[in-house]
Amino acid sequence: MDKPIEFLPNDFEFVKDADGAMIDEVYSGESFWKNILRRIVKNKGAVVGFFSIMIILILALIGPEISGYTYDQQISGHESMAPRIPGLEKLGIFDGTETLKTSTGEMEVNKYEQISGGEDVYHWFGTDVLGRDLFTRTWEGTRISLYIALVAVVVDVLIGMSYGMISGFYGGKVDMIMQRVMEILNGIPSLVVVTLLIIVLKPGLLSITIAIALTGWIGMSRIARASMLKLKQSEYVLAARTMGAKDFPIMYKEILPNIFSQLLIMSMFSIPSAIFTEAFLAFVGIGIPVPMASLGSLISENFKSLTTHFYMIVPPVIVLAVLMLSFNMLADGLRDALDPTLKEV
């Protein structure tokens, strides 16, 4: 017959002392923003996206300065040259050699060997059909795309956020009129808006900036309005009214901090859309005028040489794809970190 089990006082002990055993190791003494930062760092996609954006930003700033060429410099005799990178050429890759298809077959050509002083000439991304350095033009084009991203965020914050918050806060006839105006603007395609602007203005950054400013804020406005309608009857808003607070202090001091995370996420998601819009407009020929370059215009120009010199289109396509993907991953990480419904997941 089994003997009964007897428990002694020292059979069970706290891993720590009695005072420290009840302290939450993860969240004790952790601030709100520190908690958000920790959640973002745990999201590998957001971290990769952030560092990718930083690398592209640094290259866009210093790339045209270190290449030794300007974006509009046409060098006679350097037309359609393959990529050549110092150091890698000794390994047999990126040494300026390309394979050309002819009527009799294929042959390897190295145009660097055919020009005077070619042993000291390097074009890291090659050159286009006019002899312009693609490394310089690619990073100049990236500057344009990053400028468009900045414009998208500023327009979202200054126009979309304020428009939506005012519309949702006052409601009634004010909300009805503001929403009808927004629907009219949203019903006009961006391509039509840009085309009309080009008729009045010259093609360029100003036309694209105005086009984004006219219609790019509508998505942000809807999010801000929906959030305002949800929170404007909250207890802390009623308390602020009771204390004599005016409308705009209530909107920007009481309600905005509670919806800021949603608006920030929406702004991040709007950046890839704005970059793609500029690239599309440049691709169809109504974007940045020559000889200026954007990623979209570079893709449009070099697309014609895809079958003969495919390397011309690869750099702008890769940079554009990585830039848009990085912003999407960073926005997705911010959404996971800032969304209160996901904190217990």
Side-chain angles (χ1 to χ4, degrees):
M1 185 174 180
D2 296 335
K3 295 182 179 180
I5 300 175
E6 295 183 4
F7 294 102
L8 301 177
N10 60 349
D11 283 346
F12 300 95
E13 297 178 357
F14 284 115
V15 175
K16 297 182 178 179
D17 56 69
D19 296 330
M22 304 305 294
I23 297 178
D24 193 327
E25 293 183 343
V26 178
Y27 295 101
S28 61
E30 190 172 58
S31 67
F32 173 73
W33 291 108
K34 185 177 180 181
N35 183 23
I36 289 177
L37 180 61
R38 179 180 58 81
R39 292 172 66 87
I40 293 176
V41 171
K42 288 174 63 177
N43 190 310
K44 296 181 180 179
V47 174
V48 171
F50 173 78
F51 282 105
S52 298
I53 293 171
M54 289 296 102
I55 292 172
I56 291 176
L57 176 61
I58 293 172
L59 289 173
L61 293 175
I62 69 174
E65 310 300 329
I66 65 176
S67 65
Y69 305 97
T70 59
Y71 72 91
D72 58 349
Q73 182 180 1
Q74 300 182 22
I75 307 174
S76 178
H78 288 207
E79 296 84 1
S80 303
M81 300 182 74
R84 188 184 187 197
I85 302 176
L88 295 181
E89 59 175 338
K90 297 179 182 179
L91 303 177
I93 55 176
F94 295 108
D95 58 354
T97 302
E98 63 175 324
T99 302
L100 299 178
K101 295 182 179 180
T102 64
S103 57
T104 58
E106 296 182 350
M107 65 176 183
E108 288 190 351
V109 177
N110 191 326
K111 294 186 178 180
Y112 293 88
E113 299 175 353
Q114 302 174 5
I115 61 175
S116 177
E119 63 276 2
D120 297 325
V121 176
Y122 295 94
H123 295 287
W124 290 10
F125 290 170
T127 61
D128 60 12
V129 294
L130 298 178
R132 296 174 295 192
D133 183 69
L134 286 176
F135 182 84
T136 304
R137 290 180 63 77
T138 297
W139 297 121
E140 281 285 347
T142 306
R143 289 181 179 182
I144 301 296
S145 296
L146 292 173
Y147 164 79
I148 295 298
L150 178 62
V151 169
V153 172
V154 172
V155 167
D156 272 351
V157 172
L158 295 183
I159 301 178
M161 182 187 71
S162 299
Y163 193 94
M165 290 178 63
I166 293 173
S167 178
F169 185 81
Y170 289 104
K173 292 183 179 180
V174 174
D175 182 45
M176 183 186 67
I177 294 173
M178 295 181 72
Q179 291 306 302
R180 298 299 82 76
V181 172
M182 188 182 71
E183 289 173 2
I184 293 173
L185 291 175
N186 192 38
I188 304 175
S190 299
L191 186 59
V192 175
V193 174
V194 176
T195 305
L196 293 175
L197 287 173
I198 290 175
I199 296 175
V200 180
L201 305 172
K202 294 182 179 179
L205 274 179
L206 180 60
S207 301
I208 296 176
T209 302
I210 295 176
I212 293 176
L214 287 177
T215 59
W217 52 269
I218 292 176
M220 169 66 79
S221 173
R222 288 173 173 167
I223 298 296
R225 175 178 177 271
S227 301
M228 179 62 71
L229 290 174
K230 180 180 178 180
L231 296 178
K232 71 177 184 178
Q233 298 298 334
S234 300
E235 289 81 358
Y236 62 88
V237 175
L238 297 177
R241 283 187 180 279
T242 305
M243 298 295 292
K246 302 297 182 181
D247 291 346
F248 278 89
I250 291 176
M251 282 191 284
Y252 288 96
K253 291 184 179 181
E254 303 295 337
I255 299 178
L256 180 59
N258 291 281
I259 64 176
F260 178 74
S261 60
Q262 300 177 29
L263 303 183
L264 176 62
I265 295 167
M266 187 64 189
S267 294
M268 295 300 297
F269 275 116
S270 69
I271 290 175
S273 177
I275 293 175
F276 179 79
T277 298
E278 184 279 325
F280 168 75
L281 295 174
F283 186 80
V284 299
I286 55 176
I288 305 300
V290 293
M292 292 180 64
S294 70
L295 294 177
S297 64
L298 288 174
I299 295 172
S300 178
E301 293 172 4
N302 299 326
F303 181 76
K304 304 171 186 177
S305 304
L306 179 62
T307 57
T308 55
H309 307 287
F310 75 94
Y311 58 84
M312 293 184 184
I313 200 174
V314 172
V317 168
I318 291 178
V319 173
L320 179 62
V322 171
L323 190 61
M324 294 180 63
L325 180 62
S326 298
F327 274 114
N328 274 319
M329 290 193 301
L330 180 58
D332 190 63
L334 287 173
R335 180 186 61 191
D336 293 344
L338 295 172
D339 192 342
T341 62
L342 299 176
K343 289 188 177 181
E344 301 300 329
V345 176

